[in-house]
Amino acid sequence: MHKTEVDIPLSVRKRLTHLFGLIEKEFESICQENVILQEKVESLTEKVNEKLLTTEQFQINSKQKPPTGQKLKTAEKLKAQTSKIVSSFKNPSAVNCQFMKEYGGHRDGLWDVALPCTGQPVIGTCSADHTARIWCIETGTPLLQYTGHMGSINSIKFHPNKDLALTSSGDQTTHIWQAAVNLDNLRDRESDDTETEDDLVVPVLRTPSCTFSGHNGPVMASDWLFGGDQIITASWDRTANLYDVETSELLNSLTGHDEELTYTSSHNSQKLVVTASRDTTFRLWDFREAINSVSVFQGHTDTVTCAVFTSAGLGGEDKLVSGSDDRSIKVWELRNMRSPITTIRADSGVNRFAIASNGIIAIPQDNRQVTLYDMTGQRVTRIPRTARNGHRRMVTAVAWCEDNAFANLFSCGFDRLALGWSVQLCKD
């Protein structure tokens, strides 16, 4: 039978819009109440943990007769548990975390945050509001808004050595666009005392330099391959596409995943690509030889939300780190990936994490928290949250910026905000 489209009367549309608005307000209210309750639970949990730690340490260190038999086994077990607790809570004074700046202006949740490799003091964000923005790190001023997509923008990446941005969207396309901004104009505006925030006009870019089509579903992520002459895209149509940047030609369509793809990223010095999927696996694609190869890895029990390569030379060997909705992050040796060398257990679902050059993994989670771990699985700290500073919804992505003196970690979330943090590891 032929389906005909039914036009909804204007009065009905207005009524539906009103009802949806009421639902959204009620949802916001419930979420806010949940945030307050969750903070109370976390505060009580921390107090209980502190008391437990103090009690166990006292029991172990108290002057008693040397235990024997069953008492010895109990004492050893207690000592092991205490050591585990102590090791999981590193000295908080060794890490100094401060909130630095809020980047607000998007009209819907943010999916990704990125920083250019060119060293400019800016960050890029992308949102479900169909736009991407570039911001000045120190002032929080929006410098450029990209509006070329027709759907939610799900990822943003900057070119390795050019002022270009790569964005992927629910409109089934990926765009490259000019991301150059003039910071001198910003300094001139800041020196003008007569200009108010309401006078600020954000430059808008509407036309991409290149458009890449070919997917039959939303494109969830994309990345530049080493050298920047090719890109890789990952889509809900269960495929990843390899394109030539200069010609926009589709070079290869990578198939094999059983369910939708959630993420893709490339190695920073070799033509290696990893794709993550809702099928609980991630795949490693090797384009270094004429005949491409692929390896499948099954280490998670739920959707793999992110998989990235570590910085070249970190720890002496290249590694690959994967994160999942199963609340785990796994570290793999690239040369021998039969099993993970480290497994980190998170408190909530893991989203798009980032790894610093010193091996610190910043992990954004569904529970609005960002936690830091090292590559051995030791917890370093948790980014502090207060009623005024911190995400109020799921944290979707983070990015490190290690050469910026003002802020070196950035996070974004469904609360429509990106936040800048200063994270300093104090030397012993």
Side-chain angles (χ1 to χ4, degrees):
M1 293 179 62
H2 178 67
K3 294 183 179 179
T4 58
E5 295 184 0
V6 179
D7 215 5
I8 301 175
L10 182 60
S11 60
V12 177
R13 286 187 180 180
K14 288 183 177 179
R15 178 62 177 165
L16 288 172
T17 301
H18 174 67
L19 291 174
F20 285 135
L22 293 176
I23 292 171
E24 184 177 8
K25 287 182 180 178
E26 183 66 21
F27 181 73
E28 290 278 356
S29 176
I30 293 172
C31 284
Q32 191 62 33
E33 290 178 5
N34 184 57
V35 167
I36 296 171
L37 290 172
Q38 184 68 26
E39 288 175 349
K40 289 181 179 179
V41 170
E42 289 169 357
S43 177
L44 289 171
T45 302
E46 288 179 359
K47 289 180 181 178
V48 170
N49 285 337
E50 288 174 3
K51 289 182 179 179
L52 177 63
L53 179 58
T54 304
T55 302
E56 290 178 343
Q57 286 178 323
F58 174 77
Q59 289 174 343
I60 288 175
N61 296 326
S62 62
K63 295 180 180 180
Q64 297 178 359
K65 293 180 180 180
T68 58
Q70 185 63 34
K71 290 183 179 180
L72 179 60
K73 292 181 180 178
T74 304
E76 289 177 348
K77 183 178 180 181
L78 185 59
K79 185 175 181 180
Q81 290 174 342
T82 306
S83 299
K84 186 177 181 181
I85 293 173
V86 172
S87 65
S88 65
F89 289 90
K90 288 197 171 182
N91 184 3
S93 63
V95 184
N96 182 22
C97 300
Q98 288 185 321
F99 168 79
M100 301 302 294
K101 183 62 66 174
E102 178 181 295
Y103 308 87
H106 281 291
R107 299 186 305 276
D108 209 336
L110 275 64
W111 280 116
D112 206 0
V113 59
L115 290 108
C117 302
T118 55
Q120 274 197 308
V122 300
I123 64 168
T125 58
C126 63
S127 167
D129 67 7
H130 302 189
T131 71
R133 289 191 176 208
I134 295 178
W135 312 77
C136 175
I137 287 180
E138 289 195 31
T139 66
T141 307
L143 304 174
L144 179 65
Q145 179 173 245
Y146 179 67
T147 62
H149 283 290
M150 301 298 291
S152 168
I153 304 182
N154 303 319
S155 76
I156 181 169
K157 293 282 187 180
F158 288 97
H159 191 278
N161 47 51
K162 297 179 182 178
D163 290 325
L164 297 173
L166 178 71
T167 50
S168 295
S169 171
D171 63 12
Q172 304 183 8
T173 69
T174 296
H175 292 177
I176 293 176
W177 43 277
Q178 291 290 335
V181 292
N182 192 332
L183 292 171
D184 292 331
N185 288 345
L186 175 62
R187 296 186 185 98
D188 293 339
R189 287 189 310 193
E190 289 173 350
S191 62
D192 185 1
D193 296 334
T194 63
E195 188 178 59
T196 66
E197 190 172 333
D198 293 335
D199 298 326
L200 184 64
V201 178
V202 182
V204 177
L205 178 64
R206 296 182 174 85
T207 307
S209 303
C210 302
T211 300
F212 302 89
S213 305
H215 284 294
N216 297 318
V219 187
M220 298 309 296
S222 56
D223 199 3
W224 307 87
L225 264 69
F226 172 61
D229 56 347
Q230 295 175 349
I231 64 165
I232 185 74
T233 61
S235 169
W236 274 6
D237 65 8
R238 305 184 183 185
T239 68
N241 285 350
L242 184 68
Y243 294 93
D244 181 89
V245 169
E246 185 176 352
T247 64
S248 300
E249 178 187 358
L250 175 62
L251 302 176
N252 202 344
S253 186
L254 312 179
T255 60
H257 280 291
D258 295 329
E259 294 189 37
E260 294 90 339
L261 272 64
T262 57
Y263 196 74
T264 186
S265 63
S266 67
H267 196 281
N268 62 357
S269 62
Q270 302 181 65
K271 290 208 169 179
L272 297 171
V273 165
V274 62
T275 55
S277 171
R278 291 182 61 185
D279 64 12
T280 75
T281 73
F282 63 92
R283 294 182 174 227
L284 179 62
W285 309 81
D286 191 341
F287 298 104
R288 292 174 296 185
E289 304 293 339
I291 300 176
N292 305 328
S293 63
V294 59
S295 302
V296 183
F297 299 97
Q298 300 174 326
H300 292 284
T301 58
D302 205 337
T303 298
V304 183
T305 54
C306 186
V308 299
F309 298 94
T310 61
S311 301
L314 180 63
E317 297 289 346
D318 284 344
K319 296 178 178 64
L320 196 154
V321 185
S322 59
S324 169
D325 278 339
D326 66 8
R327 304 184 179 187
S328 74
I329 302 93
K330 295 180 183 291
V331 181
W332 312 73
E333 284 280 9
L334 205 56
R335 290 195 310 173
N336 181 10
M337 295 187 59
R338 284 194 291 262
S339 61
I341 59 173
T342 302
T343 296
I344 299 169
R345 298 295 177 186
D347 300 324
S348 184
V350 175
N351 297 311
R352 296 179 177 180
F353 55 84
I355 307 171
S357 61
N358 61 0
I360 301 299
I361 310 171
I363 304 170
Q365 300 179 58
D366 288 348
N367 63 358
R368 313 180 316 282
Q369 303 288 355
V370 178
T371 51
L372 305 185
Y373 283 81
D374 64 22
M375 297 293 285
T376 67
Q378 294 295 321
R379 175 170 154 167
V380 177
T381 191
R382 184 179 70 186
I383 301 299
R385 290 183 67 257
T386 65
R388 296 183 60 184
N389 302 324
H391 287 289
R392 297 183 292 275
R393 294 282 188 87
M394 175 174 72
V395 189
T396 53
V398 292
W400 288 101
C401 178
E402 299 174 71
D403 56 356
N404 188 275
F406 177 74
N408 61 350
L409 179 65
F410 299 87
S411 58
C412 67
F414 272 8
D415 54 6
R416 308 180 184 183
L417 298 174
L419 304 178
W421 308 88
S422 173
V423 180
Q424 304 299 327
L425 302 179
C426 304
K427 295 181 180 179
D428 296 333

